[in-house]
């Protein structure tokens, strides 16, 4: 990936079909998931988190992960990612030909116990077994969830976050994600933490994962970008939310982020018109309105006819 991180380039990574659909009460049919992923591939994404190989009892919305992976049309240059919680999930992801697996442990002990049923330390010890299973076959990303705050414990110390990142790197992971799992981050906090983590990881291997729970999502992206980060997860329509966090709402919205980036003169490599069309179809799939704003309001320069002028 060397040489592709440019000052005016931002990499948007799509997570709607995993992080977005996992919390939806209505099961999105497998053919619809495949159709959406194929359309996202055609829109230009270089990384799509397709699904998760977790217990169907825990996350029934993603019970068809293997079928989805087997049905998608794989676009050259796009990495298709699976989230996995344990060695069994990693084996299933390998069988499904995932290009990358994503491992998750919370910085917060309370959140990790709620999400994974164990301490963060136990989760990270388990990652070693997963890496032994997949090493040399797929790339591995490790996510530090609740890196900017936990709804049960509050703000986590930055040194604690850095220690978890260093544990990940010592295991030999290929990339690291800092996740604002419940939307507690603010721009100054983001800038400080990114500035400390970037020297350890580098902009080509660091991803930021923000939620818009309190309306700071895009402001946090801008703060991270100005601090040197270049890779960001987002979900079409602003779908998503952690099922184990009170009051959690959706991810930052893909098309809103792409629109903002393009208005700022940043290159995304994505087809915004195609994304808007896909977002406007989401209510049909999930059975409710979605939070994205640009799909409702239109692009900033989608101009309208002037109203009739009143006589002086």
């Amino acid at each position: 990936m060397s040489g592709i991180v440019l000052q005016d380039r931002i990499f948007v990574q799509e997570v709607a079909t995993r992080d977005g659909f996992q919390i939806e009460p209505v099961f999105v049919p497998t053919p619809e998931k495949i159709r959406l992923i194929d359309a996202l591939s055609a829109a230009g994404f270089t990384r799509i988190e397709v699904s998760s190989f977790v217990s169907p009892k825990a996350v029934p919305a993603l019970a068809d992960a293997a079928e989805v992976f087997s049905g998608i049309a794989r676009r050259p240059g796009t990495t298709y990612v699976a989230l996995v919680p344990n060695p069994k999930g990693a084996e299933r992801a390998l069988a499904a030909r995932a290009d990358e697996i994503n491992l998750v442990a919370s910085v917060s002990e309370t959140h990790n116990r709620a999400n994974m049923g164990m301490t963060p330390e136990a989760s990270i010890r388990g990652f070693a077994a997963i890496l032994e299973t997949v090493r040399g076959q797929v790339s591995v990303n490790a996510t530090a969830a609740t890196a900017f705050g936990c709804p049960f414990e509050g703000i986590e110390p930055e040194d604690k976050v850095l220690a978890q990142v260093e544990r990940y790197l010592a295991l030999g992971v290929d990339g690291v994600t800092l996740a604002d799992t419940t939307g507690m981050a603010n721009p100054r906090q983001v800038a400080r933490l990114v500035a400390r983590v970037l020297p350890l990881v580098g902009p080509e291997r660091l991803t930021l994962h923000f939620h818009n729970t309190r309306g700071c999502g895009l402001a946090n992206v801008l703060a991270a970008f100005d601090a040197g980060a270049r890779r960001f997860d987002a979900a079409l329509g602003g779908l998503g939310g952690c099922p184990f966090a009170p009051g959690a709402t959706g991810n930052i919205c893909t098309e809103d982020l792409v629109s903002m980036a393009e208005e700022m003169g940043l290159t995304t490599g994505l087809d915004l018109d195609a994304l808007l069309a896909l977002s406007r179809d989401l209510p049909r799939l999930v059975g409710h309105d979605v939070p994205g704003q640009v799909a409702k309001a239109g692009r900033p320069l989608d101009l309208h006819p002037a109203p009739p002028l009143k006589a002086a």
Side-chain angles (χ1 to χ4, degrees):
M1 217 179 278
S2 177
I4 63 174
V5 176
L6 306 175
Q7 187 62 28
D8 63 348
R9 177 70 190 260
I10 185 169
F11 294 87
V12 183
Q13 306 173 157
E14 182 58 55
V15 301
T17 56
R18 197 283 297 175
D19 198 334
F21 286 164
Q22 72 175 2
I23 202 171
E24 291 296 330
V26 175
F27 183 82
V28 177
T30 305
E32 293 280 14
K33 290 174 181 165
I34 293 170
R35 181 194 64 80
L36 178 57
I37 292 165
D38 287 349
L40 292 168
S41 296
F45 286 98
T46 57
R47 187 176 187 272
I48 299 173
E49 195 168 60
V50 171
S51 193
S52 178
F53 288 95
V54 298
S55 166
K57 293 181 180 178
V59 187
L62 304 181
D64 58 351
E67 292 81 3
V68 173
F69 266 99
S70 68
I72 59 177
R74 298 177 186 241
R75 171 181 172 269
T78 300
T79 298
Y80 297 94
V81 184
L83 184 144
V84 303
N86 50 43
K88 182 179 179 181
E91 291 171 359
R92 293 174 62 203
L94 288 178
R97 297 191 305 116
D99 298 315
E100 178 179 301
I101 65 170
N102 186 22
L103 310 174
V104 180
S106 303
V107 177
S108 157
E109 179 167 339
T110 307
H111 186 268
N112 205 72
R113 286 183 180 277
N115 195 14
M116 301 293 185
M118 64 185 78
T119 65
E121 178 67 24
S123 286
I124 296 170
R125 285 200 305 268
F127 292 172
I130 295 173
L131 281 160
E132 285 303 311
T133 299
V134 305
R135 199 180 300 278
Q137 301 181 70
V138 295
S139 60
V140 179
N141 185 80
T143 294
T146 64
F148 297 93
C150 167
F152 311 110
E153 297 181 6
I155 303 302
E156 300 290 348
E158 289 181 6
D159 287 346
K160 188 177 178 183
V161 179
L162 263 69
Q164 185 154 318
V165 170
E166 289 170 343
R167 289 285 307 278
Y168 287 165
L169 296 174
L171 287 172
V173 301
D174 301 289
V176 172
T177 297
L178 300 179
D180 182 25
T181 309
T182 60
M184 296 172 66
N186 67 74
R188 288 186 175 176
Q189 176 195 21
V190 167
R192 287 195 308 269
L193 187 56
V194 168
R196 295 190 67 185
V197 171
L198 270 177
L200 301 175
V201 181
E204 297 184 8
R205 298 201 297 158
L206 177 66
T207 294
L208 277 298
H209 180 103
F210 293 120
H211 286 247
N212 201 41
T213 311
R214 292 166 179 85
C216 290
L218 294 185
N220 289 332
V221 168
L222 186 55
F225 184 88
D226 286 345
R230 291 296 181 267
R231 297 187 173 275
F232 299 90
D233 287 344
L236 191 74
L239 291 177
C242 176
F244 306 102
T249 57
N251 294 268
I252 56 172
C253 174
T254 299
E255 63 272 18
D256 291 359
L257 172 54
V258 173
S259 176
M260 181 185 80
E262 292 189 354
E263 291 301 312
M264 293 170 60
L266 303 178
T267 300
T268 67
L270 297 170
D271 183 341
L272 179 54
D273 288 331
L275 296 179
L276 290 171
L278 292 172
S279 181
R280 288 166 180 149
D281 187 50
L282 280 178
R284 178 185 65 82
L285 292 182
V286 298
H288 60 79
D289 193 16
V290 297
Q293 296 300 306
V294 177
K296 299 182 180 75
R299 301 174 71 165
L301 291 180
D302 289 344
L303 304 181
H304 303 273
L309 299 178
K310 294 183 180 179

